[in-house]
Each structure stands twice: as structure tokens, then as C-alpha cells.
Amino acid sequence: MAKLAPSTNGSYGNLQGWEAVGYDTRHNSIEGFVHFHEWQVGGVSFMPTAGELKTVPGLLDKAGSGYRSAFDRKNEIAQPGYYSVLLDDFKIKAELTATKRVGFHRYTFPENQQSRIILSIGNIQGESGPVTDASIKMTDDTHFEGFVITYPKYVKTYDEGGRVAMYFYGELNKKPASVGAFNQEKTSTNTRTSQGIGAGLFLGYPTKANESVEIKVGLSYTSVQNAKLNLQTEAADLNFDGAKKAAQSEWQNELAKIKVSGKNQVDLVKFYTGLYHALLGRGIASDINGNFPRHDGTIGQLPKDQNGKFSYNFMNTDAIWGGFWNITQLWALSYPSHYNDFVHTQLEIYKERGWFGDGIANSNFVSGVGTNFVGLAIAGAYQAGIRDYDLNLAYKAVLGNELNFENRLVGSGKTDTKSFVQNGFVPYLDADKTDSTGSHFSGSHTMEYSYSAFAAAQLAKQMGKTADYKKLMGLSNGWRLLFDQDLKLIRPKNQSGKFIENFNPLEAWRGFQEGNATQYTFYVPQNPKGLIAEIGTKTFNERLNNIFETSQKNAFGGGKTIDAFAGIQSLYNHGNQPNLHISWLFNYSSAPWLTQKWTRAICDEFYGTESIHGYGYGQDEDQGQLGSWYVMASIGLFDVKGLTDARPTLQIGSPVFDQSEIRLGNGKKLLIKTSNNSKQNVYVQSATWNGKTLNNAWLYRDELMKGGTLTLKMGDQPNQNWGVKLPPPSAQ
């Protein structure tokens, strides 16, 4: 919950609702250090300053217009569990660390009679949207408390009337010499409370050289009382150094669940940055006592297990669109508690609302994409052995997500479910809308709903629901109804069942959301064999290989254009979810060496270590998704089917590292070793699994999860005889 970080542009807000806002590496001034950072959630900013009093952060391009300060990146340290920077304008060193629900600050000042700390509460910060109310007050000489309530863009769009409330309770290690207050309307000295939009306090400290002030701040999404309880429980006896040590120890333990080793430092930086993002991505929203925020403004309560503990957390989370090709696979491999938290959160949402929410901000629906793959992700959890929840409730919710449409809430997405269930495909609408009759994104929706129907079908089969299984398996072939036999492409159909005219396979946003027909034609993860048969194996391999040959010239995405949507009109776009499984399809088409070649090239060329070129150029990390893909691909494991098979497999690629030691979620150990590996030697020559020859480019996941050693001998030329005889299971 406590995700402290510097903000360079958070006060500028998030005009379209989806942009990444907060810290931008192209900026050279900091406006504050912020506590809350989630999809559609941001707020509570502190800033140490000196000199003339200013109560607004000011403008990026106008020095001195507010209390923001210039900084030099050579004076910046960013590590898991710790951040520090020197604020050049004030010569103040700022340091941050945290426990799960408590933020820690340490500000070290020069000698100055006008040192102060700004507590900016009632202002837009990051993704928060407009502030509707705020309050902060000193409760005694060294404690303060308050709240901020916001109305983010995507809450307004998908769950109108909902709000995001953030509460805090803070403790100073030194009494300020003076306290003043401000809000949007006025600034007052010798005032200890502030309410309304723009609310904040300024704490005055005449400081000696190298004098430090420490602050610890309990956070909560439910109440000030719980913020205080979180502080007292997690941090009553902790000072800054103790919290930093504990935070870095916990991060070390979590990151060390996957130990990779190799000769290339850049690869190690990419790997652990990706893993860090994956684990940081979706944050807990429940308190130490199990309270969590509900959409109706009341407080929910998590149950205790038989040991008297809360066995899962309630989460705030971005949508899971594409998450089955990255983050859920990583969770299932080594971090099953994260996956368990996700499932339980969505079931709590379902119990309150009657529907899954796509993205979640304090139990509000913040859909974003609108195709709601939550059911698929829960079915995948079941197939991966994560079953610590009410299975009958989960099945009912998963089935409803695929088939139900009456009184469906807009924020639960899939508002064209009726048309898909009745037609077997979603009809194309010229108008830019989605309703019960069809969608402007009919092509991509048909592909996506076909896949999620397959996932629900496999769950139905496991649960003994034969009639549901047959119905859902029928719907899983919806993609066939849009397959143009002449073009060998997916092509939207109108309500009369005819292919749309003036069709351009590279045109984005017409029939396809955040992609195009060329990209979405490969979106049949539930049945790669069926798609390959329709196109023809030779044509399939040539076309897909040519796509990668061309896309490599464009950095496998949108080139060097800094825009989240830069690649959606290209042949392949690694910067967006619909494409993330495509490089692994060669394992199904008797050409696994091409999966080895292209997944390795994407790891080396799409991903970078420069701040702008971390994930493509300006592409969408989506709370750990692209980072998770790198983690999975670089250890050489992936599942095209997103764990949705009744018996999932993991396909084998080209490991980047000489060795990966993986602590599996069940406590066992998996070792992936390569010999003769290098930047040129990307092709698997031969393999063994626990000492026995492995001729397949895949393993059943349940076998892999027993632990053992996978050894791959690498070379610089493809071995076109390895892994071709028996492809991974396709349709079940």
C-alpha cells in the first residue's frame, strides 16, 4: 500500500485518465514525495523546502513558481525499498522507505531559519483525478491525521458516483517550531487544521547543519483509525534506518526467489527491474485488521483462516488484459500468494456487485479496455492449483462473466456479451460504441471472448458441468466465423453476417481495439493447431517469420516514438498485450527454433536499460506486465494458453541466462541450465529434463512444478530436428 516515490509532474493530473503520471525521467525538478500510487489512485504529497513560503508546487518550465526543486540524477539513488535525492534548490537530502502500509521520510537540512515541510493533501496527484474533499490537522505537537477523497476519470466513466478515499495518520520525530495551513482559497499562519480542496499544512523548523526530521505515516483506504492502527502495528518501534533495513531484506528475499546468473550485466538489470515491477505492480488495499474499502462506502472485512490469520489481501489492481501472458504465469510459478490475492479480491467484488470488475480502485470498477478477462485469470489460477477459495462461487462468477448480460454493469465490461452468445461472434458497428447488438471493436472482442470461453469451458469440464462445457466450447470457436479464407485473416462481419468492406489489415481502431487485423489474426491461443491448419503450416511460418523480420527494424513495436499506442498499426507490437504470445506460436507450428530466435531478439532489442528505452519507447508497462514477460521469456518458459488448459503446459524458448535457480511456489526448486550460451548461440541443440533426453519444446506444468533440472545445450545455428515431432497440446 505504501509506495513512496518522487513526483515530477503528478500535480498536472491525468487528463485522459490512462497516461502514466508522476515521475518522468525527462523532467529535472521534483514537486514532492507521494505515498499512494495505483491504477487511478494517487495522493498525499510531502515536500521539504526552505526560504520564502510557497504553497503550490509550481510549473515545470518556470523555476521559482512554486516549491518544486531542481535535482541532478547523479545525486539520486533508487533501490528496492529505498530512494534518496538531493534537492538542489534547498540543499536538502530526502530519503524514503516503507513497510507494507507505512511510509517513512527522512529529510536532512542545512542550517536555515526557514526550513519547513509542506504536507500537500487536497490536490490532484498522479492518477487521482479531481479532489472532492480533503482534511488535515495536527492532533498534538508531533502527530497529524487526515484524508483526501478523489474522483478519478475512469471511476467517473465506469462507476459513476464512486470515489477513492485515502486516509493517513502521521508521526514526526521532532516538534515543529510553527504550523500554518493553506487551501485553495487562503494561507494562514499559526493554524493547525485545513479543510477542502487544496488543503495542506506547512511545518516550520529552524534547522542546524545536517539536522534531520523523520516522519512515519500510516496509510489506509478505509479510515484514519485504521491508518493509525497500521502505523502502530507495523512501525511503532521502527525508525527510518530500521524500516529501510527491513524493507530491503524483504525485497531481497522476494527477488531472490529467482536467481539468475550470466555474463551480461545489462541482462541482469533488465531481469531484476522487470521482476521488481512485477512484484510492485498491484498493491494491497486491506488494513492490518482485514478491513477493506467497498464501493458503497462501507468497510468490508476479510475472514480469518483456521490459524486466526488473514490468508489473503484485498487489492487495488489494473485490468488483467493480457496478464495471462506475463504476470499470472510469474505469480503461478513463484509467487502464488499474489495470484491468490487477485482471485479473492475479485470474488469479494463479485459478492458485492454481482459482477467481476476489470480494473479495481477501492472496489470501484475502472475498466479501461472493457473485455474483462478476470474469469479467464481465475480459471487459470484453478488449473495452476490455486484453489483456496469457494470453488462453487468462483465457477458461478466465471460462467456469468462469459454468458450473462442482463443488467450488466458497464464497468464490468463485455457489454456486447448478448450479441456474442446469440451470434457466435460480435457484429461490427460503424459507430464507435459497444452495446448489446455489437461493437466497433467486434473483431478483437470476438477473438478475446472465444479465448475466455475456452478457459471457462475447461473449468466447467473440471467441475463436471457438461452442458456448460459444450456450450462454451462452441463459443470458443467464434474466431472461425470471422476467418476470411481468401485473405487468411480475421475480418469483422456486420450484423447480416457479411465481411466489412474497405478492409485494411493494418488499420487500428476499426474492428480492433489497440491493434489491427494482422495482429489479432494470431489471437487464437486456445487452439493454435486450428489456426495453423486454416492458414497452412508453411504459409503460417513464412508469414509470421516475415512479420518479425520486418518488425525488428522497428524495435518490435512503435519504433522510437514515445507513445503508448505507437505500435498498434504495425505488423507486430510488443508494447501492447494482444501480441505477447505470438513469438511463441512457432513451438506449435513445427519451427521451435524461430520461437528461440525471436523471443531472444525481443529480450535483447525491445527491452533496454536506458530510462526512455526500458520497455520499447514509451510503451505500456501496465503495472508489471511487460516486465513479467521479460522475466518469463528470459528464463525460457512461457504458456501461450495462459494456464487455461485442464493440464497446462509450459513451452520452452531460449534462456538468456547461463543458469536460473527458481524457488517454486510449492517450495520445490527448479534449475534451468544452459551450456555454450551467448548472444549468438540462441538456438537449442538438445535438452534433458532431470537427466533424461527431452525431445519436446514443452513440458507439462505439473511435472515442472515437481522441481528438477532442465538443461539446454545452445548453438549459433538452428537444430531443426529438435522439438518438432510432438507440438504442445492444442485443443482439448
Side-chain angles (χ1 to χ4, degrees):
M1 186 184 295
K3 294 185 177 180
L4 275 68
S7 176
T8 66
N9 68 343
S11 63
Y12 281 69
N14 193 329
L15 297 179
Q16 297 181 75
W18 56 262
E19 303 98 327
V21 181
Y23 181 95
D24 190 318
T25 192
R26 294 166 293 182
H27 298 158
N28 296 305
S29 63
I30 287 172
E31 62 178 30
F33 302 99
V34 184
H35 294 74
F36 290 98
H37 291 91
E38 298 291 351
W39 169 238
Q40 301 298 294
V41 182
V44 185
S45 175
F46 294 178
M47 182 66 174
T49 69
E52 178 190 350
L53 174 65
K54 295 171 184 173
T55 58
V56 295
L59 303 174
L60 275 163
D61 56 359
K62 192 174 180 182
S65 58
Y67 54 66
R68 68 170 58 243
S69 171
F71 71 105
D72 189 322
R73 283 185 170 75
K74 72 181 182 186
N75 297 320
E76 191 179 37
I77 298 170
Q79 300 169 347
Y82 176 73
Y83 174 85
S84 75
V85 67
L86 181 65
L87 300 172
D88 288 344
D89 289 14
F90 310 122
K91 302 296 183 282
I92 297 169
K93 182 181 181 182
E95 298 173 276
L96 310 173
T97 190
T99 63
K100 271 187 167 47
R101 301 173 181 85
V102 182
F104 286 74
H105 306 245
R106 180 162 63 195
Y107 302 138
T108 303
F109 295 88
E111 183 177 358
N112 195 315
Q113 291 301 302
Q114 290 182 300
S115 296
R116 67 177 64 85
I117 299 171
I118 307 286
L119 310 180
S120 175
I121 309 305
N123 298 295
I124 288 175
Q125 184 53 238
E127 298 187 27
S128 67
V131 172
T132 61
D133 196 10
S135 173
I136 181 170
K137 65 180 179 182
M138 297 294 297
T139 58
D140 60 31
D141 285 344
T142 55
H143 293 88
F144 56 88
E145 66 182 35
F147 64 84
V148 55
I149 299 174
T150 67
Y151 197 18
K153 179 79 177 276
Y154 273 48
V155 174
K156 185 176 182 180
T157 302
Y158 294 104
D159 220 346
E160 191 174 6
R163 294 290 188 273
V164 171
M166 294 161 270
Y167 301 89
F168 57 90
Y169 179 86
E171 179 177 300
L172 302 156
N173 75 334
K174 291 180 181 176
K175 173 186 174 182
S178 61
V179 179
F182 58 91
N183 60 23
Q184 197 175 46
E185 297 170 356
K186 63 178 181 178
T187 299
S188 309
T189 56
N190 300 318
T191 305
R192 299 167 66 85
T193 65
S194 181
Q195 284 87 34
I197 296 171
L201 296 180
F202 51 94
L203 314 178
Y205 287 94
T207 54
K208 299 172 185 173
N210 296 317
E211 183 175 348
S212 292
V213 177
E214 293 188 16
I215 317 173
K216 45 189 174 183
V217 189
L219 306 175
S220 172
Y221 291 113
T222 61
S223 69
V224 168
Q225 291 78 9
N226 278 343
K228 184 176 183 179
L229 180 65
N230 291 338
L231 173 66
Q232 291 172 335
T233 307
E234 290 186 0
D237 300 321
L238 273 184
N239 62 10
F240 186 93
D241 287 329
K244 176 188 173 185
K245 184 178 180 181
Q248 297 212 299
S249 175
E250 183 171 359
W251 270 111
Q252 182 68 24
N253 179 62
E254 293 300 299
L255 293 170
K257 287 180 179 176
I258 308 180
K259 295 180 182 177
V260 295
S261 55
K263 306 172 192 70
N264 192 307
Q265 176 70 14
V266 166
D267 294 336
L268 295 171
V269 171
K270 290 182 194 177
F271 182 89
Y272 285 106
T273 300
L275 184 55
Y276 171 71
H277 287 175
L279 299 177
L280 189 70
R282 290 129 205 273
I284 57 174
S286 48
D287 297 314
I288 200 82
N289 63 2
N291 284 177
F292 66 90
R294 289 164 64 98
H295 167 73
D296 63 5
T298 61
I299 296 174
Q301 176 63 50
L302 300 179
K304 290 184 177 178
D305 59 24
Q306 62 260 34
N307 299 317
K309 296 184 176 181
F310 301 112
S311 55
Y312 60 90
N313 300 296
F314 187 86
M315 300 173 79
N316 277 333
T317 173
D318 195 357
I320 206 72
W321 196 56
F324 32 82
W325 288 324
N326 41 64
I327 203 163
T328 65
Q329 294 190 35
L330 176 59
W331 285 346
L333 188 70
S334 293
Y335 304 93
S337 64
H338 291 248
Y339 208 164
N340 196 41
D341 287 351
F342 177 84
V343 174
H344 276 286
T345 296
Q346 289 290 352
L347 292 178
E348 290 288 352
I349 295 291
Y350 177 79
K351 284 188 283 188
E352 183 189 356
R353 311 295 297 278
W355 302 95
F356 288 139
D358 205 0
I360 300 299
N362 283 20
S363 292
N364 297 291
F365 291 171
V366 283
S367 179
V369 179
T371 50
N372 200 330
F373 275 108
V374 170
L376 182 148
I378 291 178
Y382 179 91
Q383 308 295 18
I386 297 167
R387 301 177 182 180
D388 174 30
Y389 42 86
D390 184 333
L391 295 178
N392 290 320
L393 178 72
Y395 178 73
K396 180 183 177 185
V398 169
L399 191 69
N401 199 48
E402 299 306 311
L403 301 179
N404 294 353
F405 45 81
E406 289 188 12
N407 302 315
R408 187 162 190 139
L409 301 176
V410 65
S412 72
K414 294 169 82 90
T415 50
D416 47 357
T417 300
K418 182 178 181 180
S419 69
F420 178 69
V421 171
Q422 292 181 347
N423 297 292
F425 70 95
V426 177
Y428 174 75
L429 303 181
D430 270 320
D432 187 7
K433 66 176 183 176
T434 298
D435 62 24
S436 63
T437 66
S439 175
H440 190 62
F441 301 138
S442 60
S444 56
H445 284 195
T446 298
M447 306 306 284
E448 291 169 326
Y449 299 171
S450 298
Y451 176 33
S452 58
F454 171 86
Q458 298 306 306
L459 181 61
K461 189 178 185 181
Q462 298 274 57
M463 301 285 283
K465 310 287 188 181
T466 306
D468 291 343
Y469 168 74
K470 289 178 178 176
K471 181 173 186 175
L472 289 160
M473 282 303 289
L475 290 170
S476 78
N477 283 307
W479 65 275
R480 293 184 182 275
L481 300 177
L482 297 191
F483 190 81
D484 185 326
Q485 294 288 349
D486 296 327
L487 298 175
K488 303 295 185 186
L489 288 167
I490 293 298
R491 183 173 176 180
K493 285 181 175 177
N494 59 28
Q495 286 170 304
S496 62
K498 294 182 178 178
F499 286 124
I500 62 171
E501 301 291 337
N502 303 315
F503 175 60
N504 174 1
L506 287 177
E507 183 180 1
W509 303 113
R510 183 175 182 245
F512 301 93
Q513 188 169 13
E514 298 189 24
N516 57 49
T518 300
Q519 295 172 5
Y520 268 100
T521 291
F522 296 101
Y523 203 114
V524 191
Q526 72 273 23
N527 190 2
K529 182 180 178 181
L531 177 66
I532 293 161
E534 287 288 355
I535 296 175
T537 302
K538 185 172 183 290
T539 303
F540 180 92
N541 285 335
E542 287 176 352
R543 183 200 288 184
L544 191 52
N545 189 58
N546 287 339
I547 283 172
F548 283 110
E549 294 276 9
T550 302
S551 300
Q552 188 172 29
K553 299 168 188 171
N554 214 27
F556 297 108
K560 295 189 177 182
T561 302
I562 301 171
D563 180 354
F565 294 138
I568 63 171
Q569 288 182 294
S570 59
L571 291 167
Y572 174 80
N573 179 23
H574 195 79
N576 217 344
Q577 283 86 341
N579 297 253
L580 295 182
H581 67 299
I582 295 175
S583 57
W584 295 85
L585 289 174
F586 295 108
N587 279 334
Y588 290 84
S589 63
S590 302
W593 63 91
L594 290 174
T595 281
Q596 295 153 31
K597 174 182 179 177
W598 292 119
T599 58
R600 196 65 175 265
I602 292 165
C603 283
D604 286 346
E605 298 168 36
F606 176 84
Y607 292 86
T609 56
E610 308 84 12
S611 52
I612 291 295
H613 179 200
Y615 300 93
Y617 288 85
Q619 300 299 309
D620 197 349
E621 163 67 312
D622 271 344
Q623 287 197 308
Q625 287 203 33
L626 290 179
S628 297
W629 192 96
Y630 183 90
V631 168
M632 294 302 298
S634 67
I635 63 174
L637 299 176
F638 189 84
D639 183 19
V640 163
K641 307 189 79 173
L643 308 179
T644 58
D645 268 341
R647 191 184 182 193
T649 63
L650 284 170
Q651 299 91 60
I652 296 168
S654 174
V656 168
F657 301 102
D658 297 339
Q659 179 168 301
S660 302
E661 186 180 315
I662 302 158
R663 202 188 318 163
L664 300 171
N666 57 16
K668 294 185 166 55
K669 189 164 79 174
L670 171 64
L671 203 62
I672 300 173
K673 299 174 77 171
T674 62
S675 62
N676 199 35
N677 200 0
S678 70
K679 289 294 180 189
Q680 291 72 40
N681 295 355
V682 304
Y683 297 105
V684 177
Q685 305 299 301
S686 61
T688 62
W689 170 240
N690 287 335
K692 295 181 180 178
T693 299
L694 177 67
N695 291 317
N696 297 338
W698 60 277
L699 284 159
Y700 280 113
R701 185 181 178 278
D702 54 11
E703 291 295 323
L704 201 81
M705 293 300 287
K706 291 176 183 176
T709 302
L710 174 64
T711 304
L712 303 171
K713 183 180 178 182
M714 311 300 289
D716 63 357
Q717 296 298 317
N719 177 0
Q720 297 189 8
N721 295 313
W722 184 81
V724 298
K725 190 174 181 182
L726 185 66
S730 192
Q732 290 189 12

